[in-house]
């Protein structure tokens, strides 16, 4: 039975990871890179487990996820859970991929964030399913594991936009997109948990919210995977000017990337 539960715990990540990887139409990322991101996702889950109790002890306001006060619950869920988890997913992923030579397309960013999140979700899911059993496995396969992926899709989208802004030498836009790379997933994750903690008739709102995330996230994946242009930098060998095309608008020389 334990082997079957373990299989059920990892199956959602296998299916979702396969889908995201197959949607990479313009040069799939090396499998070693993807596997390493998955491992870093597991590390981010372990880091969360180690750091979160310390933060909750030092800041008791973050430890109110059973509170009936809407504001206290919001602070606990959005900061004490969502922000901490999304931060650790983001920081390990960024340190490993930001300057990676393979990072040359906006969809690459979604691959990176999704596989990092799948590592986190798989580790978490194994713990919950092995303790909770078959029904927990089914519920989390439909809701919780995809929830991590939905957050990651939006993180990846803004992560890719931030990388493009760096290439275009737009510092303000780069900072803005990197900020959104953390903020948007945190808000999505926090709302996911907040509605779930409220229980009662809020479960209807929660299920509608999850359905909307399904639709928007898969549309976003399809949209970004169809982007034709790579993120490139070209440098003129004559005047040194940088451009997004291979023709120098300054002196007419052919650029090199």
């Amino acid at each position: 039975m334990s082997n079957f539960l373990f299989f059920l715990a990892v199956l959602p990540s296998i299916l979702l990871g396969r889908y995201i990887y197959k949607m990479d139409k313009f040069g799939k990322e090396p499998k070693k890179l993807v596997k390493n991101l998955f491992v870093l996702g597991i590390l981010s889950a372990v880091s969360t487990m180690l750091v979160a109790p310390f933060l909750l002890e030092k800041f008791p306001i973050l430890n109110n996820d059973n509170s009936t006060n809407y504001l206290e619950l919001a602070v606990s869920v959005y900061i004490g859970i969502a922000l901490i988890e999304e931060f650790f997913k983001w920081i390990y992923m960024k340190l490993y991929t930001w300057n990676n030579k393979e990072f040359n397309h906006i969809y690459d960013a979604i691959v990176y964030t999704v596989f990092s999140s799948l590592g986190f979700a798989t580790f978490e899911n194994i713990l919950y399913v092995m303790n909770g059993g078959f029904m927990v496995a089914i519920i989390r396969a439909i809701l919780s594991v995809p929830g991590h992926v939905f957050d990651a899709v939006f993180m990846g989208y803004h992560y890719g936009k931030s990388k493009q802004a760096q290439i275009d030498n737009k510092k303000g836009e780069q900072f803005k997109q990197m900020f959104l790379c953390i903020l948007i997933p945190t808000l999505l994750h926090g709302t996911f948990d907040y509605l779930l903690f409220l229980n009662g008739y809020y479960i209807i709102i929660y299920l509608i919210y999850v359905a909307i995330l399904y639709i928007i996230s898969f549309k976003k994946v399809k949209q970004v995977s169809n982007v034709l242009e790579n993120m490139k930098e070209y440098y003129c060998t004559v005047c040194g000017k940088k451009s997004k095309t291979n023709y120098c608008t300054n002196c007419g020389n052919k650029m090199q990337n």
Side-chain angles (χ1 to χ4, degrees):
M1 183 63 176
S2 60
N3 288 338
F4 179 62
L5 288 178
F6 181 85
F7 171 73
L8 289 180
V10 300
L11 181 60
S13 295
I14 293 173
L15 296 177
L16 288 166
R18 179 178 173 81
Y19 171 77
I20 294 296
Y21 192 75
K22 283 183 67 177
M23 289 295 287
D24 192 350
K25 302 173 183 177
F26 303 101
K28 287 182 170 48
E29 299 307 286
K31 291 184 178 180
K32 182 179 179 181
L33 186 155
V34 170
K35 290 176 182 177
N36 287 344
L37 283 165
F38 187 86
V39 172
L40 288 174
I42 296 174
L43 180 60
S44 68
V46 174
S47 299
T48 299
M49 291 177 63
L50 294 174
V51 173
F54 171 78
L55 293 176
L56 296 179
E57 181 181 347
K58 292 295 182 181
F59 305 98
I61 192 173
L62 301 179
N63 197 18
N64 290 312
D65 54 10
N66 292 317
S67 175
T68 56
N69 182 293
Y70 287 0
L71 181 58
E72 290 180 354
L73 178 62
V75 171
S76 174
V77 169
Y78 282 93
I79 300 177
I81 298 176
L83 179 59
I84 294 174
E85 291 188 7
E86 297 305 324
F87 172 78
F88 278 113
K89 292 179 196 175
W90 168 79
I91 191 64
Y92 287 120
M93 180 275 304
K94 182 179 184 297
L95 289 172
Y96 184 61
T97 64
W98 186 253
N99 293 315
N100 194 299
K101 64 180 182 180
E102 300 292 341
F103 191 3
N104 60 4
H105 191 280
I106 188 171
Y107 190 79
D108 294 346
I110 290 181
V111 173
Y112 301 158
T113 53
V114 166
F115 274 89
S116 177
S117 288
L118 283 175
F120 188 106
T122 303
F123 180 83
E124 181 184 68
N125 211 37
I126 290 170
L127 297 180
Y128 277 106
V129 170
M130 298 304 285
N131 287 321
F134 179 77
M135 284 309 299
V136 171
I138 299 302
I139 292 171
R140 288 186 60 82
I142 298 171
L143 301 173
S144 301
V145 177
H148 281 287
V149 172
F150 301 153
D151 301 336
V153 167
F154 285 91
M155 179 183 285
Y157 176 73
H158 291 289
Y159 185 61
K161 297 283 279 186
S162 181
K163 182 65 174 179
Q164 182 64 69
Q166 182 198 47
I167 290 173
D168 296 340
N169 199 28
K170 298 177 180 177
K171 299 296 184 183
E173 182 67 12
Q174 179 185 342
F175 176 81
K176 172 189 169 184
Q177 292 297 332
M178 193 62 78
F179 177 71
L180 292 175
C181 177
I182 297 291
L183 178 64
I184 301 299
T186 297
L187 293 176
L188 294 175
H189 187 159
T191 303
F192 184 100
D193 288 350
Y194 186 71
L195 292 172
L196 190 59
F197 278 121
L198 287 176
N199 254 321
Y201 63 86
Y202 285 100
I203 195 67
I204 298 173
I205 301 174
Y206 168 76
L207 292 174
I208 293 172
Y209 176 71
V210 173
I212 292 172
L213 284 181
Y214 261 98
I215 295 169
I216 295 176
S217 297
F218 281 111
K219 281 187 175 181
K220 182 66 72 175
V221 166
K222 186 175 181 180
Q223 171 200 342
V224 176
S225 69
N226 285 327
V227 172
L228 297 177
E229 300 85 5
N230 278 346
M231 297 185 294
K232 292 182 178 179
E233 291 180 290
Y234 292 95
Y235 295 91
C236 178
T237 55
V238 175
C239 67
K241 182 177 175 63
K242 183 169 72 172
S243 171
K244 290 178 67 177
T245 68
N246 64 349
Y247 181 81
C248 181
T249 57
N250 186 48
C251 68
N253 185 54
K254 186 175 181 179
M255 313 278 270
Q256 293 184 354
N257 64 347

